[in-house]
PDB file of all heavy atoms in Angstrom:
ATOM      1  N   LYS A  73     -27.546 -51.595 -12.638  1.00  0.00           N
ATOM      2  CA  LYS A  73     -26.962 -50.264 -12.261  1.00  0.00           C
ATOM      3  C   LYS A  73     -26.382 -49.607 -13.530  1.00  0.00           C
ATOM      4  O   LYS A  73     -25.701 -50.261 -14.302  1.00  0.00           O
ATOM      5  CB  LYS A  73     -25.928 -50.399 -11.192  1.00  0.00           C
ATOM      6  CG  LYS A  73     -26.457 -50.888  -9.889  1.00  0.00           C
ATOM      7  CD  LYS A  73     -25.358 -50.995  -8.863  1.00  0.00           C
ATOM      8  CE  LYS A  73     -25.902 -51.474  -7.537  1.00  0.00           C
ATOM      9  NZ  LYS A  73     -24.843 -51.642  -6.539  1.00  0.00           N
ATOM     10  N   PHE A  74     -26.610 -48.290 -13.669  1.00  0.00           N
ATOM     11  CA  PHE A  74     -26.061 -47.523 -14.772  1.00  0.00           C
ATOM     12  C   PHE A  74     -24.565 -47.429 -14.617  1.00  0.00           C
ATOM     13  O   PHE A  74     -24.061 -46.918 -13.629  1.00  0.00           O
ATOM     14  CB  PHE A  74     -26.713 -46.135 -14.790  1.00  0.00           C
ATOM     15  CG  PHE A  74     -26.116 -45.186 -15.755  1.00  0.00           C
ATOM     16  CD1 PHE A  74     -25.981 -45.492 -17.082  1.00  0.00           C
ATOM     17  CD2 PHE A  74     -25.689 -43.919 -15.328  1.00  0.00           C
ATOM     18  CE1 PHE A  74     -25.438 -44.609 -18.009  1.00  0.00           C
ATOM     19  CE2 PHE A  74     -25.119 -43.031 -16.231  1.00  0.00           C
ATOM     20  CZ  PHE A  74     -24.998 -43.338 -17.552  1.00  0.00           C
ATOM     21  N   VAL A  75     -23.793 -47.946 -15.609  1.00  0.00           N
ATOM     22  CA  VAL A  75     -22.360 -48.057 -15.477  1.00  0.00           C
ATOM     23  C   VAL A  75     -21.565 -47.473 -16.664  1.00  0.00           C
ATOM     24  O   VAL A  75     -20.384 -47.185 -16.523  1.00  0.00           O
ATOM     25  CB  VAL A  75     -21.884 -49.501 -15.283  1.00  0.00           C
ATOM     26  CG1 VAL A  75     -22.408 -50.074 -13.985  1.00  0.00           C
ATOM     27  CG2 VAL A  75     -22.313 -50.400 -16.452  1.00  0.00           C
ATOM     28  N   ALA A  76     -22.223 -47.257 -17.816  1.00  0.00           N
ATOM     29  CA  ALA A  76     -21.454 -46.753 -18.965  1.00  0.00           C
ATOM     30  C   ALA A  76     -22.425 -46.139 -19.982  1.00  0.00           C
ATOM     31  O   ALA A  76     -23.604 -46.434 -19.997  1.00  0.00           O
ATOM     32  CB  ALA A  76     -20.668 -47.884 -19.594  1.00  0.00           C
ATOM     33  N   TRP A  77     -21.876 -45.248 -20.822  1.00  0.00           N
ATOM     34  CA  TRP A  77     -22.655 -44.767 -21.949  1.00  0.00           C
ATOM     35  C   TRP A  77     -21.762 -44.655 -23.167  1.00  0.00           C
ATOM     36  O   TRP A  77     -20.528 -44.547 -23.048  1.00  0.00           O
ATOM     37  CB  TRP A  77     -23.311 -43.427 -21.631  1.00  0.00           C
ATOM     38  CG  TRP A  77     -22.398 -42.253 -21.408  1.00  0.00           C
ATOM     39  CD1 TRP A  77     -21.904 -41.833 -20.239  1.00  0.00           C
ATOM     40  CD2 TRP A  77     -21.867 -41.358 -22.406  1.00  0.00           C
ATOM     41  NE1 TRP A  77     -21.104 -40.723 -20.368  1.00  0.00           N
ATOM     42  CE2 TRP A  77     -21.036 -40.451 -21.740  1.00  0.00           C
ATOM     43  CE3 TRP A  77     -21.968 -41.292 -23.777  1.00  0.00           C
ATOM     44  CZ2 TRP A  77     -20.378 -39.416 -22.400  1.00  0.00           C
ATOM     45  CZ3 TRP A  77     -21.298 -40.274 -24.455  1.00  0.00           C
ATOM     46  CH2 TRP A  77     -20.520 -39.340 -23.782  1.00  0.00           C
ATOM     47  N   GLU A  78     -22.375 -44.707 -24.323  1.00  0.00           N
ATOM     48  CA  GLU A  78     -21.649 -44.560 -25.572  1.00  0.00           C
ATOM     49  C   GLU A  78     -22.507 -43.798 -26.561  1.00  0.00           C
ATOM     50  O   GLU A  78     -23.702 -43.967 -26.629  1.00  0.00           O
ATOM     51  CB  GLU A  78     -21.334 -45.936 -26.139  1.00  0.00           C
ATOM     52  CG  GLU A  78     -20.501 -45.906 -27.392  1.00  0.00           C
ATOM     53  CD  GLU A  78     -20.020 -47.278 -27.829  1.00  0.00           C
ATOM     54  OE1 GLU A  78     -20.255 -48.259 -27.124  1.00  0.00           O
ATOM     55  OE2 GLU A  78     -19.371 -47.339 -28.905  1.00  0.00           O
ATOM     56  N   GLY A  79     -21.867 -42.893 -27.292  1.00  0.00           N
ATOM     57  CA  GLY A  79     -22.547 -42.121 -28.306  1.00  0.00           C
ATOM     58  C   GLY A  79     -21.765 -42.107 -29.612  1.00  0.00           C
ATOM     59  O   GLY A  79     -20.536 -42.260 -29.595  1.00  0.00           O
ATOM     60  N   ALA A  80     -22.472 -41.921 -30.720  1.00  0.00           N
ATOM     61  CA  ALA A  80     -21.815 -41.875 -32.009  1.00  0.00           C
ATOM     62  C   ALA A  80     -22.402 -40.715 -32.817  1.00  0.00           C
ATOM     63  O   ALA A  80     -23.581 -40.432 -32.731  1.00  0.00           O
ATOM     64  CB  ALA A  80     -21.997 -43.200 -32.755  1.00  0.00           C
ATOM     65  N   GLY A  81     -21.532 -40.083 -33.585  1.00  0.00           N
ATOM     66  CA  GLY A  81     -21.961 -38.981 -34.417  1.00  0.00           C
ATOM     67  C   GLY A  81     -20.911 -38.673 -35.502  1.00  0.00           C
ATOM     68  O   GLY A  81     -20.013 -39.486 -35.726  1.00  0.00           O
ATOM     69  N   PHE A  82     -21.057 -37.550 -36.162  1.00  0.00           N
ATOM     70  CA  PHE A  82     -20.175 -37.177 -37.221  1.00  0.00           C
ATOM     71  C   PHE A  82     -19.489 -35.878 -36.941  1.00  0.00           C
ATOM     72  O   PHE A  82     -20.150 -34.890 -36.533  1.00  0.00           O
ATOM     73  CB  PHE A  82     -20.941 -37.100 -38.566  1.00  0.00           C
ATOM     74  CG  PHE A  82     -21.573 -38.372 -38.950  1.00  0.00           C
ATOM     75  CD1 PHE A  82     -22.934 -38.623 -38.706  1.00  0.00           C
ATOM     76  CD2 PHE A  82     -20.814 -39.387 -39.533  1.00  0.00           C
ATOM     77  CE1 PHE A  82     -23.514 -39.800 -39.071  1.00  0.00           C
ATOM     78  CE2 PHE A  82     -21.402 -40.597 -39.866  1.00  0.00           C
ATOM     79  CZ  PHE A  82     -22.750 -40.796 -39.633  1.00  0.00           C
ATOM     80  N   VAL A  83     -18.189 -35.806 -37.158  1.00  0.00           N
ATOM     81  CA  VAL A  83     -17.419 -34.565 -37.027  1.00  0.00           C
ATOM     82  C   VAL A  83     -16.329 -34.529 -38.096  1.00  0.00           C
ATOM     83  O   VAL A  83     -15.844 -35.582 -38.518  1.00  0.00           O
ATOM     84  CB  VAL A  83     -16.763 -34.393 -35.627  1.00  0.00           C
ATOM     85  CG1 VAL A  83     -17.814 -34.275 -34.543  1.00  0.00           C
ATOM     86  CG2 VAL A  83     -15.784 -35.491 -35.327  1.00  0.00           C
ATOM     87  N   SER A  84     -15.936 -33.345 -38.519  1.00  0.00           N
ATOM     88  CA  SER A  84     -14.820 -33.204 -39.456  1.00  0.00           C
ATOM     89  C   SER A  84     -13.491 -33.400 -38.672  1.00  0.00           C
ATOM     90  O   SER A  84     -13.485 -33.365 -37.430  1.00  0.00           O
ATOM     91  CB  SER A  84     -14.844 -31.839 -40.108  1.00  0.00           C
ATOM     92  OG  SER A  84     -14.576 -30.824 -39.119  1.00  0.00           O
TER      93      SER A  84
END
Side-chain angles (χ1 to χ4, degrees):
K73 295 180 180 177
F74 173 54
V75 295
W77 66 268
E78 184 171 356
F82 298 100
V83 296
S84 68

